[in-house]
């Protein structure tokens, strides 16, 4: 009995060693032989290195065909991308169901697992309301792009790049076309019925029959594509679209798992298009382990958010700031005594709590936050006064000037955010010059915030939950830096615009951010499909459009 057990154990040990050696040192088998024009079989060349399969375009030119999963992307699993869509598009219940199915998905192959995850993720979602593919997914996908494959297949001056993917087109096309600038995408569509996704993707054979792959590869070239048009390809996970590589690619690089682990992430500075705007609540990569940790944290995080909110509301700044630090809300102050005593503060916009952090850092309970349309509940619960603005520029200028001139009860200083909306990335939007037309010296305040689990801002979601999600983070952090006072002595719109530009430049220089000319309208048109306006009823009269965020 013991001898048989020892023999079985030895065989198991040898099998494990063979599997590990195959994973580390053995390259994937080359694609099957493809037919030749004379009816014979042409043997596929042996496995090549990436540079051999895709030589520099200056030497070979042509077209590159690249598989997204496991080829362009370094990850060996598509689960995080579907989980992000489930969280942002379907909510926590749908995401929890997908997480519970993860052990079963591990038993399936890549292609079958992708189809199963598509059912759970997309079933019942409205097609016209689905924006996760262009608003939330690009950031996650860009962070996973392989710099080596990008240089070989996608980066200029290569003439043309065609990407193929087993994931739904709605998930990958915005990222590939808008941010990487690939020329064509071959991916299945999600079936729909009366504007709702059915959770079923079209078959690969159906897609290839309806799509002339030769013309897709050739692009605008007349006469379609030929084998000479393609330099090579980069394969990836699964066997989907294998016939595309076999028929149209002379040489195919098939990366192994060990090769993918050696790849490097594409640096942000090398993105073909800067990632300035993105939406969604999730601030981490939703791997199975990370998603499980999030679900375990949510009950405790919600209770912690309530305690933190009560601390903000009840206690004065002298007590609330150290207590909140003990509760995990880290903050760092870079002081400037001459600026902290001013009455007009202008800061970049990171979250709804920006005015609170400025007031707490300045130890000024008399500061008011200049806002557009926020709920009455938010006004009641705000630890500092709120100063409501309208859409009338002249009226807002007069009201802000009167507020700054007041010395009685209700008077004091103002905190304004000239960007008009939040920006999560290290960029500054165009600053409105309204604050510079008041004739008061401005105290610039540079703000930097970081979160680890949830974003406290949204363009397409329910904004009433923004403070809750921000306070639910385990360790949210803020840096508040007061800069030298900026004098506003000139008259006229040109002088005000010059002051606004100078303020933007100073804050960007202090934070290491990049200045842009983008506005709130650009952000909402890109992320939510609207101009960032909501219907507001003033005094029971006709509804008017109002910006959805603070000024």
């Amino acid at each position: 009995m013991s001898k048989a057990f020892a023999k079985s154990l030895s065989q198991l040990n040898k099998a494990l060693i063979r599997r590990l050696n195959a994973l580390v040192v053995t390259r994937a088998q080359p694609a099957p032989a493809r037919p030749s024009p004379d009816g014979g079989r042409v043997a596929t060349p042996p496995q090549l290195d990436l540079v051999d399969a895709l030589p520099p375009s200056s030497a070979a030119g042509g077209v590159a065909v690249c598989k997204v999963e496991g080829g362009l992307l370094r990850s060996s699993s598509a689960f995080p991308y579907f989980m992000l869509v489930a969280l942002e598009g379907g909510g926590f219940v749908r995401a929890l169901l997908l997480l519970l199915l993860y052990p079963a998905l591990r038993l399936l192959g890549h292609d079958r697992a992708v189809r199963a995850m598509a059912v759970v993720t997309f079933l019942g979602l409205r097609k016209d309301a689905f924006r996760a593919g262009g608003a939330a997914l690009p950031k996650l996908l860009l962070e996973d792009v392989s710099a080596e494959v990008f240089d070989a297949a996608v980066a200029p001056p290569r003439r043309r790049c065609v990407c193929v993917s087993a994931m739904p087109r709605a998930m990958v096309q915005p990222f590939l076309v808008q941010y990487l600038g690939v020329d064509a995408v071959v991916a299945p569509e999600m079936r729909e019925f009366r504007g709702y996704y059915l959770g079923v993707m079209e078959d690969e054979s159906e897609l290839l029959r309806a799509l002339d792959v030769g013309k897709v590869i050739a692009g605008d070239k007349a006469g379609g594509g030929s084998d000479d048009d393609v330099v090579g390809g980069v394969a990836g996970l699964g066997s989907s679209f294998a016939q595309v590589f076999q028929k149209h690619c002379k040489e195919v690089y098939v990366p192994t798992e060990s090769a993918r682990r050696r790849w490097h992430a594409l640096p942000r500075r090398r993105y073909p298009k800067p990632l300035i705007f993105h939406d969604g609540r999730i601030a981490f990569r939703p791997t199975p382990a990370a998603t499980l940790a999030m679900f375990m944290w949510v009950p405790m995080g919600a209770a912690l958010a309530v305690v933190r909110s009560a601390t903000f509301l009840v206690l004065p700044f002298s007590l609330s700031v150290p207590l909140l630090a003990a509760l995990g809300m880290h903050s760092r102050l870079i002081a400037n005594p001459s600026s902290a005593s001013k009455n007009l503060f202008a800061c970049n916009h990171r979250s709804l709590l920006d005015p609170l952090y400025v007031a707490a850092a300045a130890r000024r309970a008399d500061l008011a936050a200049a806002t557009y349309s926020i709920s009455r509940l938010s006004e009641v619960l705000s630890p500092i006064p709120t100063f409501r603005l309208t859409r009338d520029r002249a009226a807002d200028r007069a009201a802000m000037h009167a507020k700054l001139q007041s010395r009685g009860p209700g008077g004091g200083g103002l905190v304004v955010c000239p960007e008009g909306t939040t920006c999560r990335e290290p960029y500054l939007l165009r600053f409105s010059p309204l604050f510079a037309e008041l004739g008061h010296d401005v105290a610039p305040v540079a703000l930097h915030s970081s979160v680890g689990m949830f974003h406290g801002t949204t363009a397409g979601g329910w904004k009433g939950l923004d403070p809750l999600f921000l306070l639910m983070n385990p360790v949210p952090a803020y840096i508040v830096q007061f800069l030298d006072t900026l004098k506003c002595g000139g008259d006229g719109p040109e002088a005000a615009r010059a002051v606004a530009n100078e303020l933007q430049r100073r804050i960007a220089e202090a934070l290491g951010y990049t200045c842009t000319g983008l506005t709130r309208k650009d952000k909402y048109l890109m992320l939510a499909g609207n101009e960032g306006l909501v219907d507001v009823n003033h005094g029971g009269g006709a509804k008017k459009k109002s910006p959805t965020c603070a000024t």
Side-chain angles (χ1 to χ4, degrees):
M1 186 70 177
S2 59
K3 184 177 180 180
F5 176 76
K7 184 177 180 180
S8 301
L9 187 61
S10 176
Q11 292 176 348
L12 177 61
N13 183 47
K14 292 179 180 179
L16 289 175
I17 291 176
R18 286 196 299 269
R19 294 292 299 274
L20 290 175
N21 288 336
L23 180 65
V24 175
V25 301
T26 303
R27 293 181 174 181
Q29 295 297 322
R34 52 188 174 90
S36 64
D38 58 2
R41 305 291 291 182
V42 178
T44 302
Q47 176 71 24
L48 303 172
D49 290 336
L50 180 59
V51 177
D52 296 330
L54 292 172
S57 58
S58 58
V63 184
V65 179
C66 182
K67 183 71 174 290
V68 176
E69 311 93 84
L72 179 63
L73 303 180
R74 299 178 299 146
S75 176
S76 59
S77 173
F79 180 86
Y81 316 126
F82 284 95
M83 176 56 72
L84 182 64
V85 174
L87 285 166
E88 303 296 351
F92 281 178
V93 176
R94 189 185 297 261
L96 180 59
L97 176 60
L98 182 60
L99 180 63
L100 294 176
L101 292 176
Y102 177 71
L105 297 173
R106 292 280 295 175
L107 302 177
L108 304 176
H110 171 75
D111 299 328
R112 291 182 178 179
V114 165
R115 291 189 172 276
M117 289 187 289
V119 173
V120 179
T121 303
F122 281 88
L123 180 61
L125 295 183
R126 286 178 52 192
K127 180 180 180 180
D128 59 353
F130 180 77
R131 298 192 176 276
L137 271 174
K139 176 177 173 60
L140 183 64
L141 293 169
L142 279 170
E143 292 174 348
D144 199 28
V145 171
S146 164
E148 289 79 2
V149 177
F150 175 82
D151 290 336
V154 183
R158 183 172 296 282
R159 188 176 63 201
R160 186 169 177 80
C161 177
V162 178
C163 285
V164 299
S165 174
M167 294 190 291
R169 178 182 291 269
M171 290 178 59
V172 297
Q173 180 161 333
F175 150 70
L176 293 172
V177 175
Q178 297 176 15
Y179 287 93
L180 293 188
V182 303
D183 300 281
V185 179
V186 179
E189 295 280 3
M190 293 297 302
R191 300 187 188 276
E192 58 173 298
F193 179 73
R194 294 185 177 180
Y196 288 87
Y197 287 123
L198 298 178
V200 180
M201 292 188 292
E202 61 181 337
D203 295 332
E204 177 184 336
S205 58
E206 179 184 356
L207 172 62
L208 294 180
R209 282 196 304 268
L211 188 67
D212 190 335
V213 180
K215 289 184 178 180
V216 172
I217 291 177
D220 297 333
K221 290 180 62 177
S226 65
D227 287 344
D228 294 333
D229 294 329
V230 180
V231 174
V234 180
L237 301 174
S239 59
S240 59
F241 300 103
Q243 56 182 300
V244 175
F245 292 97
Q246 295 171 11
K247 182 178 180 181
H248 298 279
C249 296
K250 289 183 176 180
E251 298 170 341
V252 179
Y253 171 65
V254 184
T256 62
E257 183 65 26
S258 59
R260 282 193 289 268
R261 286 197 294 266
R262 293 193 298 268
W263 287 349
H264 300 87
L266 183 67
R268 175 190 293 270
R269 67 179 182 276
R270 297 192 56 206
Y271 289 174
K273 176 183 177 181
L275 179 69
I276 300 177
F277 300 129
H278 60 89
D279 202 12
R281 295 292 190 184
I282 304 304
F284 61 95
R285 182 177 180 83
T287 61
T291 306
L292 177 61
M294 180 203 70
F295 278 110
M296 296 174 64
W297 169 259
V298 165
M300 183 184 300
L304 183 60
V306 173
V307 174
R308 288 169 171 173
S309 299
T311 304
F312 255 129
L313 294 172
V314 176
L315 299 179
F317 291 140
S318 59
L319 298 178
S320 63
V321 171
L323 182 56
L324 288 171
L327 292 174
M329 296 189 68
H330 295 177
S331 59
R332 178 189 176 195
L333 171 63
I334 303 177
N336 189 323
S338 61
S339 296
S341 61
K342 299 297 179 180
N343 280 338
L344 181 59
F345 296 85
C347 61
N348 59 307
H349 205 1
R350 300 289 291 183
S351 76
L352 292 177
L353 299 185
D354 292 343
L356 298 183
Y357 273 94
V358 173
R363 302 300 174 99
R364 297 275 303 275
D366 62 325
L367 293 181
T371 64
Y372 278 120
S373 56
I374 62 173
S375 66
R376 294 295 181 184
L377 179 62
S378 298
E379 290 183 339
V380 172
L381 295 179
S382 176
I384 63 175
T386 58
F387 183 74
R388 183 178 289 270
L389 301 176
T390 66
R391 276 83 52 208
D392 190 321
R393 189 180 187 86
D396 288 342
R397 185 191 305 111
M400 294 172 69
H401 184 73
K403 177 71 175 178
L404 292 172
Q405 293 293 102
S406 175
R407 290 292 183 266
L414 279 177
V415 181
V416 298
C417 302
E419 287 180 288
T421 187
T422 57
C423 184
R424 299 172 178 177
E425 297 301 312
Y427 295 92
L428 295 183
L429 308 186
R430 188 179 70 190
F431 277 31
S432 168
L434 180 60
F435 72 93
E437 300 174 4
L438 301 176
H440 289 257
D441 293 344
V442 182
V445 185
L447 299 177
H448 174 77
S449 64
S450 61
V451 294
M453 187 170 289
F454 301 111
H455 288 296
T457 61
T458 180
W462 187 21
K463 293 181 174 294
L465 296 178
D466 285 358
L468 175 64
F469 276 102
L470 179 61
L471 296 176
M472 282 176 60
N473 281 284
V475 188
Y478 250 88
I479 297 178
V480 182
Q481 180 178 0
F482 290 93
L483 307 179
D484 292 335
T485 302
L486 185 62
K487 296 186 177 298
C488 302
D491 295 328
E494 293 300 327
R497 170 56 59 191
V499 171
N501 291 339
E502 175 63 17
L503 176 66
Q504 183 193 40
R505 187 196 64 80
R506 287 192 185 184
I507 294 179
E509 182 179 351
L511 296 174
Y513 286 9
T514 302
C515 296
T516 74
L518 301 175
T519 64
R520 181 191 71 248
K521 180 179 178 180
D522 298 319
K523 171 185 172 180
Y524 278 85
L525 283 175
M526 178 178 178
L527 300 181
N530 57 60
E531 297 185 4
L533 304 176
V534 296
D535 290 329
V536 179
N537 193 324
H538 294 278
K543 290 185 177 181
K544 301 176 69 175
K545 293 291 186 180
S546 173
T548 60
C549 48
T551 179

